[in-house]
Amino acid sequence: MKKNVSSITIIHFIGLQTPHSTRFLIFFLFLLIYCVTICGNLLITTLVSYSKTLHSPMYIFLTQLSVSDILLATDILPNMLHHVLMKGSTISFSDCITQFFFFSVSEALECLLLTVMCYDRYLAICRPLHYTLAMNFQVCCILIITCWVLGVLVGLILTSTILQFEFCGPNNIDHFFCDLDPILRLSCSDTTIVLFEAIIMNYILAVTPFFVIVLSYVYIIITIFKIPSITGRQKVFSTCSSHLTVVCIYYGTLVCVYLLPRREQSRNITKLLSLLYTVVTPLMNPIIYSLRNKDFKQALDKIINHSLHFFLDR
């Protein structure tokens, strides 16, 4: 196997261009976002583990989405915080490839989990009589394991191919993290093969799931409109509205960043859009699901009351 021959050992991020006067404000904003993202997603996993009323496939899938969001936020935000505070940051070439690997895994995992969660809602709403049989605990575990295996496989394939290239500079990345396109700009090899791999994987793990989600929601909406009472429609739609909101935010930004034609003058816009799915989406997921879900609120109230009684009794 051909080994990577690289003259690049250190990579400099150009990143987000922020005014000097707002440096500390932006730093504390991103730090707050990171803390809320980690705490919010950990809260979801804790609530689902603690409350028996949340031991259903939809919430189990949601815990995996939270793990994916924690992985993505931890992969991107710490280095971004360093960049904002120090007005620039550096990263070793090996760390850059590692960051890209975990970014690829978390993005592929997010696409697959959102698709599986949509399939779960489709069965619950359109095929309620077959739901317990089609989405039992064993099927749930198989789907989760499949999502993780495919996500890791995507990361391994892309990074192993990239490591076969020769990198000769320049060693500046005009982004705030190591995405595929900025990394390939550093290479002086023919990168056609990895671009072909990326296109194939985008269609398999992003475009195809997106159409599956759209088709599923067409059936879901048709089924909802068949419900005679308005109250019944609202109740059923509320069970999938949070997921639909997350899908719109996530896929909307992915389409703008990766599928629309790119121009050199639009790099700043690309960075801002990238912020939405790497920083904002992991933050919004627990907020959207928890604030719009009565089961989560009830489970949180139980934990708070149980904790208060425990400390008061002592």
Side-chain angles (χ1 to χ4, degrees), residues 16-83:
L16 301 172
Q17 301 302 308
T18 57
H20 182 76
S21 58
T22 61
R23 181 178 58 176
F24 289 103
L25 177 62
I26 294 174
F27 172 80
F28 284 112
L29 175 62
F30 281 132
L31 180 61
L32 178 63
I33 289 174
Y34 183 52
C35 293
V36 173
T37 299
I38 299 300
C39 292
N41 284 290
L42 284 176
L43 179 62
I44 284 182
T45 57
T46 303
L47 288 176
V48 174
S49 302
Y50 173 82
S51 177
K52 292 182 179 180
T53 58
L54 299 179
H55 290 176
S56 63
M58 183 65 180
Y59 296 120
I60 294 173
F61 292 140
L62 184 56
T63 61
Q64 300 304 304
L65 190 67
S66 293
V67 172
S68 175
D69 287 337
I70 291 172
L71 176 64
L72 179 60
T74 304
D75 188 44
I76 302 295
L77 274 167
N79 190 68
M80 186 189 296
L81 288 169
H82 182 267
H83 169 81

Side-chain angles (χ1 to χ4, degrees), residues 154 157-158 192-209:
V154 167
I157 291 173
L158 291 176
T192 304
I193 183 171
V194 74
L195 290 174
F196 179 74
E197 288 176 353
I199 291 171
I200 295 298
M201 291 179 188
N202 280 338
Y203 274 97
I204 294 175
L205 299 175
V207 177
T208 302

Side-chain angles (χ1 to χ4, degrees), residues 73-251:
T74 304
D75 188 44
I76 302 295
L77 274 167
N79 190 68
M80 186 189 296
L81 288 169
H82 182 267
H83 169 81
V84 171
L85 190 62
M86 305 305 295
K87 293 295 291 181
S89 62
T90 60
I91 188 173
S92 68
F93 181 78
S94 59
D95 287 344
C96 181
I97 298 299
T98 302
Q99 185 186 54
F100 173 72
F101 168 77
F102 285 107
F103 166 74
S104 302
V105 171
S106 60
E107 289 301 293
L109 185 59
E110 189 111 3
C111 291
L112 293 169
L113 286 173
L114 288 175
T115 307
V116 169
M117 291 169 74
C118 180
Y119 175 65
D120 176 81
R121 290 301 83 200
Y122 165 78
L123 288 176
I125 296 172
C126 301
R127 298 287 187 271
L129 297 178
H130 301 87
Y131 180 75
T132 54
L133 181 63
M135 191 57 73
N136 54 44
F137 181 74
Q138 184 178 2
V139 173
C140 184
C141 291
I142 291 173
L143 289 173
I144 290 172
I145 292 171
T146 302
C147 289
W148 275 99
V149 169
L150 289 176
V152 172
L153 194 61
V154 167
L156 287 174
I157 291 173
L158 291 176
T159 51
S160 61
T161 305
I162 289 172
L163 287 173
Q164 306 307 309
F165 297 152
E166 182 180 356
F167 292 88
C168 50
N171 64 340
N172 295 322
I173 284 184
D174 190 9
H175 214 324
F176 57 87
F177 71 99
C178 291
D179 201 354
L180 179 62
D181 185 62
I183 291 176
L184 296 184
R185 290 177 182 270
L186 309 180
S187 177
C188 44
S189 302
D190 182 7
T191 59
T192 304
I193 183 171
V194 74
L195 290 174
F196 179 74
E197 288 176 353
I199 291 171
I200 295 298
M201 291 179 188
N202 280 338
Y203 274 97
I204 294 175
L205 299 175
V207 177
T208 302
F210 176 73
F211 282 110
V212 170
I213 291 172
V214 170
L215 185 62
S216 298
Y217 270 107
V218 168
Y219 282 105
I220 288 172
I221 292 171
I222 291 173
T223 303
I224 290 174
F225 276 113
K226 289 181 180 179
I227 299 174
S229 67
I230 297 176
T231 305
R233 293 176 188 174
Q234 291 175 343
K235 185 177 180 180
V236 173
F237 184 74
S238 66
T239 63
C240 57
S241 58
S242 298
H243 177 263
L244 185 59
T245 303
V246 172
V247 167
C248 290
I249 295 173
Y250 184 72
Y251 273 100

